[in-house]
Every structure is written in C-alpha cells, then in structure tokens.
Amino acid sequence: MAEAAILRVRHCRADIFCRRPPPRCPACGRPLRGAGLSAAPLRLPSPFRHGHRQPRAFLLRPTAGTFLGGYDGKSDLHVGITNSHGVVYNYNEEGIHRAETGWEQCISIPLVQPDMFGLLQEWDKLLEEFSVGEAWLPHRVLTAQGKRQMTKSEFTEKFVIPQTKKASKYITLHQELTANEFYIVPLPDQEDQS
C-alpha cells in the first residue's frame, strides 16, 4: 500500500500539515490562492525507504508491523544489512537470515560510499563471510577496507539517531493526519514568512 503524501503549507505564522492542499487557510479562513510562494504546498520527503532497493545499507524497522502502521515509538526495532542486490541479512534468536521481502518500509543508512571502489566490488563476499561468523555488524564490515572500526555507540550517534529523529517527526505528522484533516504548528517569530 502506497504511503499518502504529507504536505506543508505555511500561512498565518504557522506550518499547516495536510494530505491535500486546502483552498483556504484552516487557521484564518483566507484563500491560499495568491497568498505567495511561502503558502505553496511543499511535499515532505518520507524518511522511509524500500529496504530491498537500498544496496549496501544498514536498515532499521519495527520488529512487528511497520513504522506507519501503528508503531508506538517504544516497541523493539530490528536491524539488517543489505547486499548489493537488496537481500537483507538480519539476525534474531533463531540465527542469521537472508530476506528478500519484509523490509519494504524502513530507515536506510548507506554503508558504502561511491568512492569506495574496492568495497563496492567485494561487499557481497565480505557480507557473506561475516554472516557465517559473529563479526557481521556494520561497524565491523568497514574494518575490512582498512577503515577505523567504529563502536556501536559511535555508529548509532553519527548515523542512526539523526535518521530516527526525522522518522519520529514524520510518524507524529502521519498519526495526526490520520486522525485530523490538518495539523497546525505555530512558527517561532524569526521564522514568520507570511
């Protein structure tokens, strides 16, 4: 099922979030047509990706369900790493799994940059080798290319937390717009653009 877009309209010193652009401002009732560029609807980019289309990436998703399908922000999360074809290597209490489905809505963090030619070529082989041992964590895979090994805390702070903050804001907007036609957030004075 396709995710419904979230739009932002800026008017009346507020960000107005909605699914469809309203003809009138829900805060003041004035027409939005002709209200200027700042009142033009802007589609917010979704922080979620189809994990099987994200090669060589670290993926994060709820253990049960989806982020936009009832995730409460407190339930467990599950991680995986993709090979160059989008197969997700993931681990649970039953061991290591290779999944070709089930990661259609997740947070994706690229692990291999385009300038890492050697690692681009060797990724699948290295991932398979690491998956048969205990050293398959993403911060350890980079060590194979002579990079300094990151700790789990460093990796989480640098890459995971910024993405989960974006996802959390998006989930909040999604939940509000599931229950209401609009979600209005007043702008601080310095951001007033109407």
Side-chain angles (χ1 to χ4, degrees):
M1 183 167 121
E3 169 185 329
I6 296 178
L7 305 176
R8 185 198 77 202
V9 175
R10 195 165 268 179
H11 196 261
C12 293
R13 295 174 30 204
D15 278 341
I16 302 161
F17 297 96
C18 51
R19 299 283 187 190
R20 291 177 287 120
R24 297 186 168 277
C25 175
C28 73
R30 291 184 289 174
L32 290 175
R33 186 179 193 107
L37 189 56
S38 64
L42 173 73
R43 182 181 180 164
L44 299 184
S46 172
F48 306 114
R49 301 286 173 263
H50 189 299
H52 301 288
R53 296 180 187 149
Q54 306 297 311
R56 303 173 198 93
F58 176 84
L59 305 179
L60 184 68
R61 69 165 172 83
T63 300
T66 64
F67 281 113
L68 298 179
Y71 181 67
D72 62 6
K74 298 177 184 123
S75 300
D76 288 340
L77 296 174
H78 194 58
V79 299
I81 301 173
T82 58
N83 69 10
S84 63
H85 305 287
V87 175
V88 181
Y89 287 65
N90 62 96
Y91 180 85
N92 67 14
E93 60 276 353
E94 297 170 4
I96 294 175
H97 304 276
R98 289 155 190 83
E100 295 184 21
T101 62
W103 294 78
E104 290 76 18
Q105 187 186 93
C106 58
I107 294 170
S108 174
I109 300 162
L111 291 173
V112 182
Q113 301 306 311
D115 64 345
M116 301 171 113
F117 302 112
L119 192 52
L120 285 170
Q121 299 301 316
E122 297 292 317
W123 182 258
D124 290 352
K125 180 175 137 294
L126 291 170
L127 186 56
E128 187 61 34
E129 286 173 8
F130 283 120
S131 74
V132 296
E134 290 298 314
W136 77 289
L137 297 172
H139 60 279
R140 293 186 182 144
V141 174
L142 296 177
T143 309
Q145 279 301 111
K147 304 284 184 189
R148 184 183 72 80
Q149 180 175 318
M150 291 180 136
T151 66
K152 283 192 241 180
S153 296
E154 288 173 325
F155 182 81
T156 301
E157 189 173 313
K158 185 172 182 178
F159 298 107
V160 177
I161 290 175
Q163 294 298 322
T164 56
K165 284 181 179 179
K166 288 178 192 174
S168 177
K169 290 176 184 177
Y170 196 88
I171 291 168
T172 298
L173 291 172
H174 171 78
Q175 290 170 340
E176 286 293 331
L177 293 174
T178 299
N180 305 296
E181 192 172 355
F182 304 104
Y183 182 62
I184 301 172
V185 179
L187 289 172
D189 289 336
Q190 67 268 22
E191 289 190 51
D192 182 4
Q193 300 204 358
S194 58

